[in-house]
Amino acid sequence: MLRKILLLGALALGAAHPARAADTVDPKAELKAFRDYFVGRFPKVPLDDFVNGPYSMDAGLRKQWKAIEEFPPYEFAVDKGKELFSTPFANRKTYGDCFPDKGIGVRQNYPYFDAKSGEVITLELALNQCRAANGEKPLDYVEDDMAALTAYMAFTSRGKRFDIKIPDDPRALAAYRKGEEYFYTRRGQLNFSCASCHVQAAGHHIRTEVLAPALGLMAAMPIYRSEWGGMGTTSRRFVTCNSQVRAEPLAPQDELYRDVEYFLTYMGNGLPVSGPGARP
Amino acid sequence: MWRAPALLLGIALFGAGAAAAAPSAGEQLAFDRAKGNCLTCHDIEGGDSPGNVGPALHDMKKRFPDRAGLIAIISDETRRNPQTVMPPFRRNLILTDEEINAIVDFLYTQ
């Protein structure tokens, strides 16, 4: 099964696959293969539990986590996010005015493909687009206010199932494919792809840490990491992952990072939002 | 006055202990996160919280009698197994030949 999924990845890379074309992209079949791989490898883990990352893989960690969740370290971020979210901009409008359903319980629909711009719009980007539309300066993608806002929006969406859509539009399929290629491509001095750790070595220990499975990986974002001593956005996570494999990170919310988020979140379709999460 | 001998004894014991425990260059490289960092993925005797991505590094002389073969694995295991997640330590200039040799010396004590 690993061979199969790495082969899918290799096909995505297209290196030795001249027949590759945008119209051969079949996200549905790829989602099934991706999910089957994890379910087959971790038969004792209930499907919905994959959104709990390392805690779904390790009984000892799970016990610690249950204790942590008694006083969740992301609670301050949720409170702060709620406050920021409901505080009007200078023009008296609020974030809620920019989102469907006033931005409550919508996390599971992000990222989405925007036919107008031809690009993938993540929740973080949508928040800054909202600010720009209302004459406000953008927030830093890797800092606390963005983490707080996304934490609040995830919190109001907990339990809702991811429903990422890949419309029948060659640009959307191309974005998906580019994200997939990035996910399976090795990079950095350590020569790891995202898949090296989160597909191939998922569930294994690196010293005291347990590598989270790629299935459901985006569902817990943003996360409080004890290692960081604070909250981190998806942008922060991508940048630090790249640094850790000694690769040059992209700029936060670079189009390619958004494509990766599009691919990876789509792979977790049907799983429930669990964010904000707490991780070691 | 009774303290002095005890203190001297303590120094003597501590000194002896420290000398016995002084890690070799290879062991230091194998445990150092910025260098070999073998412990992150492999169980090695004497290392705290080993990872388990790769196989345990025990009985090394018996399992890898060919020194050049072991060096090749550390240098670039992707040549033998393209799917491996093991970093190509020599190819990507993470370790020098000298450092790899020191690590192999250490692994052969395992």
Side-chain angles (χ1 to χ4, degrees):
Chain A
M1 200 56 177
L2 176 65
R3 281 177 73 108
K4 191 176 166 194
I5 201 160
L6 288 178
L7 185 70
L8 269 175
L11 287 177
L13 298 185
H17 192 53
R20 181 170 86 88
D23 60 355
T24 63
V25 181
D26 188 351
K28 260 188 195 153
E30 291 180 357
L31 186 156
K32 185 179 182 308
F34 195 89
R35 182 187 282 191
D36 286 352
Y37 166 77
F38 284 99
V39 169
R41 215 178 113 190
F42 303 102
K44 285 183 191 156
V45 177
L47 185 59
D48 280 355
D49 202 29
F50 280 98
V51 299
N52 297 315
Y55 310 120
S56 66
M57 310 267 108
D58 186 277
L61 271 183
R62 193 180 187 90
K63 219 170 144 190
Q64 290 176 33
W65 170 54
K66 290 283 179 202
I68 288 168
E69 287 285 333
E70 301 274 321
F71 300 98
Y74 50 74
E75 207 164 34
F76 295 105
V78 173
D79 291 346
K80 188 180 170 195
K82 185 176 183 181
E83 195 191 314
L84 289 170
F85 196 83
S86 45
T87 305
F89 301 127
N91 67 2
R92 298 181 165 231
K93 294 210 167 172
T94 64
Y95 287 107
D97 296 324
C98 298
F99 290 90
D101 296 331
K102 291 278 171 193
I104 303 302
V106 299
R107 165 70 183 107
Q108 68 283 0
N109 300 321
Y110 289 80
Y112 70 92
F113 180 79
D114 175 40
K116 214 172 183 183
S117 63
E119 290 189 13
V120 169
I121 310 295
T122 62
L123 190 59
E124 291 174 33
L125 186 69
L127 281 160
N128 264 349
Q129 285 182 338
C130 177
R131 292 181 64 83
N134 288 288
E136 300 284 335
K137 284 185 187 153
L139 297 175
D140 190 319
Y141 287 112
V142 297
E143 302 248 333
D144 285 349
D145 282 0
M146 183 57 84
L149 283 163
T150 52
Y152 172 64
M153 292 181 82
F155 191 75
T156 67
S157 315
R158 274 192 171 178
K160 297 201 178 230
R161 293 179 184 275
F162 278 94
D163 185 20
I164 305 305
K165 299 205 163 53
I166 300 179
D168 191 15
D169 177 328
R171 297 169 304 168
L173 291 165
Y176 167 89
R177 180 61 93 210
K178 272 194 276 176
E180 182 180 37
E181 283 176 8
Y182 190 92
F183 183 82
Y184 286 107
T185 304
R186 291 175 184 253
R187 62 179 53 79
Q189 193 182 26
L190 298 184
N191 199 41
F192 294 146
S193 66
C194 310
S196 299
C197 290
H198 298 290
V199 177
Q200 217 171 334
H204 285 116
H205 286 253
I206 48 168
R207 302 218 190 202
T208 55
E209 286 188 63
V210 173
L211 291 165
L215 181 64
L217 196 59
M218 301 311 300
M221 302 305 295
I223 48 173
Y224 180 95
R225 280 210 73 167
S226 308
E227 188 189 324
W228 296 337
M231 293 295 297
T233 55
T234 299
S235 290
R236 183 175 182 183
R237 184 64 284 209
F238 282 1
V239 166
T240 51
C241 274
N242 277 162
S243 303
Q244 282 170 326
V245 304
R246 302 182 196 163
E248 194 65 46
L250 304 171
Q253 295 299 310
D254 183 288
E255 191 175 354
L256 200 41
Y257 271 164
R258 283 183 276 130
D259 291 347
V260 174
E261 191 176 334
Y262 190 44
F263 162 74
L264 195 50
T265 315
Y266 177 80
M267 285 293 124
N269 257 2
L271 297 182
V273 173
S274 63
R279 298 289 183 265
Chain B
M1 266 324 263
W2 59 269
R3 278 187 184 194
L7 192 64
L8 278 173
L9 184 65
I11 289 167
L13 283 175
F14 180 74
S24 66
E27 180 176 343
Q28 284 183 45
L29 288 163
F31 290 0
D32 184 345
R33 287 171 191 272
K35 280 296 184 177
N37 201 17
C38 314
L39 192 58
T40 285
C41 292
H42 299 277
D43 187 11
I44 304 173
E45 208 175 295
D48 288 334
S49 307
N52 63 358
V53 176
L57 303 180
H58 301 157
D59 298 320
M60 294 302 282
K61 232 177 185 150
K62 207 163 91 193
R63 288 165 55 208
F64 298 94
D66 176 25
R67 187 180 177 98
L70 185 53
I71 287 174
I73 291 172
I74 299 170
S75 297
D76 187 358
E77 171 66 352
T78 66
R79 291 173 67 107
R80 195 175 68 154
N81 171 15
Q83 285 190 2
T84 187
V85 295
M86 183 155 163
F89 287 92
R90 186 68 188 92
R91 170 161 66 86
N92 279 10
L93 309 178
I94 306 164
L95 296 169
T96 64
D97 288 331
E98 201 180 13
E99 288 168 335
I100 291 173
N101 264 299
I103 287 173
V104 169
D105 286 343
F106 164 64
L107 292 179
Y108 276 152
T109 68
Q110 296 294 300

